[in-house]
Amino acid sequence: MTGAQGITRRQTLSALGASALSLSLPRSAGAQGVVLRQGYQTNLWGMPTYYLLRSGALEKRGLKAEEFGVPSGNLTMQQMVARQVDLGTYAGPSFILGHDKGGLVGIAVIAQVGRTTRVMARKDLGLTKVEHLRGLKVANQTGSSTGNIFVDQIAPAAGLKRGDYQEVRMDVNNMVAALAAKTVDAMVNVEPYNAIAEADGLATTLVDYWDVDKMPVFMAATPDFAAKSAESIVAYLKAWLEVAADFKGNPTKVADTIYGFYAGKGYSMSQETFRKALATVEVDPGFPADLQPYLQRHAEVLLKEKKIAALPDWSKALRPEFMDKARA
């Protein structure tokens, strides 16, 4: 792929692979010596966390952070189940799986990202509906929240069951190159990759997840960390509230910081394309009133698909008291 907004196949394959990065923030007078092992995905869902780590908001509160960036939130969830990471972001299905496998607890909803996620098909194929994917190759990050929602809800609603299309397992950061090479016909992907594919004339949208699921992104913690570091979690969430104010009141500063991440990884996309992608993320830390019914619906689907052993006890899975204290 060439052009001002394009990315080469080599750049795509090398950019945003699973990585572990370390960021140490100086301790201020109120520090308790706790190091937050922060996981996040390197697609746009994780970029509010990336911005948090560079905003200075943690430093103000005497917190240190060690960061772990991976291509998809389900990988962060797996790191947390293995107790390699203390905190991490992902959507509802991955959170439910993490609670089932490792007792992970939700300490806040950080953002809603339904507009960042789309099912897109190669433009040259002229497809307009999900049902048109019958018999075609669909790139999907298997095991991710977006992947599970496509397989368990969107495809069946379009009359497609497993086997009616060929699921090609792939990290989201490799999908645009696969579309360009025509090794897949469609992709289930997130921003900024959708905006890149659209700007380069590679793909068209079949469905936007917002119409199916607004996709709240959770900040989850391991139960061990929640038990031993309650004060640090409250300070951490205070930092999130400060960062949310930046997203609303100083979007240029936020966009410039995050754009630098992708530029540093070898992506060549215009700032206009990037800002369009970033605008699909709604950052608003809190605990929405309809959260439990929303999660219950997803849990019932996962239980039916035998992906979890039992429906969660939400009084144990959701811990709103940390955010309540942060807002006090």
Side-chain angles (χ1 to χ4, degrees):
M1 224 182 331
T2 58
Q5 295 174 323
I7 53 175
T8 68
R9 178 172 175 77
R10 180 179 62 80
Q11 287 170 331
T12 305
L13 293 175
S14 64
L16 304 186
S19 62
L21 304 174
S22 177
L23 175 69
S24 293
L25 297 170
R27 188 187 308 183
S28 67
Q32 300 298 311
V34 175
V35 177
L36 311 173
R37 296 183 299 172
Q38 177 72 70
Y40 66 94
Q41 58 270 68
T42 52
N43 58 53
L44 212 59
W45 292 15
M47 288 300 102
T49 303
Y50 175 83
Y51 179 79
L52 169 80
L53 292 167
R54 282 151 184 81
S55 67
L58 294 176
E59 178 182 285
K60 285 182 186 178
R61 292 162 178 84
L63 297 173
K64 291 183 177 181
E66 184 181 6
E67 69 179 83
F68 298 82
V70 294
S72 180
N74 64 307
L75 300 177
T76 295
M77 179 269 288
Q78 292 165 20
Q79 289 176 322
M80 293 177 69
V81 170
R83 302 302 191 258
Q84 298 166 346
V85 172
D86 303 311
L87 299 158
T89 56
Y90 26 82
S94 287
F95 168 65
I96 295 165
L97 287 166
H99 179 73
D100 183 71
K101 307 302 180 188
L104 307 185
V105 297
I107 60 171
V109 169
I110 295 302
Q112 294 191 92
V113 295
R115 289 192 177 93
T116 72
T117 310
R118 298 186 245 172
V119 181
M120 303 189 77
R122 279 182 16 222
K123 189 173 182 178
D124 61 294
L125 296 177
L127 309 183
T128 58
K129 299 179 180 179
V130 173
E131 47 261 46
H132 295 161
L133 297 177
R134 186 178 300 274
L136 299 183
K137 296 178 180 178
V138 181
N140 195 20
Q141 176 103 30
T142 305
S144 66
S145 292
T146 56
N148 286 334
I149 290 171
F150 174 76
V151 171
D152 297 336
Q153 298 180 51
I154 292 176
L160 300 177
K161 60 182 183 300
R162 285 183 174 85
D164 288 341
Y165 55 93
Q166 182 180 343
E167 185 179 36
V168 180
R169 299 185 177 193
M170 188 178 297
D171 286 347
V172 292
N173 48 287
N174 293 328
M175 292 180 185
V176 176
L179 280 181
K182 298 185 178 181
T183 56
V184 298
D185 304 304
M187 65 180 184
V188 181
N189 211 338
V190 298
E191 297 296 1
Y193 313 114
N194 294 330
I196 292 171
E198 190 172 56
D200 266 0
L202 284 172
T204 56
T205 300
L206 303 184
V207 67
D208 182 320
Y209 270 41
W210 188 262
D211 298 328
V212 179
D213 191 324
K214 290 183 173 55
M215 301 201 73
V217 171
F218 290 80
M219 182 60 71
T222 64
D224 319 57
F225 189 74
K228 71 182 182 182
S229 304
E231 290 184 8
S232 294
I233 290 177
V234 172
Y236 171 79
L237 292 176
K238 286 180 181 290
W240 265 110
L241 294 173
E242 179 180 331
V243 162
D246 275 359
F247 271 82
K248 290 179 173 64
N250 200 347
T252 299
K253 175 186 174 184
V254 172
D256 288 348
T257 300
I258 298 174
Y259 182 81
F261 173 84
Y262 291 104
K265 291 292 184 180
Y267 279 79
S268 177
M269 74 178 117
S270 72
Q271 291 211 15
E272 179 184 359
T273 296
F274 177 72
R275 290 178 191 278
K276 179 181 177 182
L278 185 60
T280 62
V281 179
E282 297 186 10
V283 177
D284 187 17
F287 257 88
D290 60 349
L291 192 58
Q292 185 171 320
Y294 167 84
L295 287 171
Q296 180 73 14
R297 291 194 297 272
H298 275 294
E300 289 170 356
V301 172
L302 292 172
L303 182 65
K304 181 180 178 181
E305 296 294 326
K306 299 181 179 179
K307 293 178 180 177
I308 58 175
L311 293 175
D313 178 346
W314 299 116
S315 67
K316 296 179 180 178
L318 299 177
R319 301 287 300 276
E321 68 269 22
F322 298 113
M323 180 57 78
D324 290 343
K325 291 179 180 178
R327 289 188 181 278

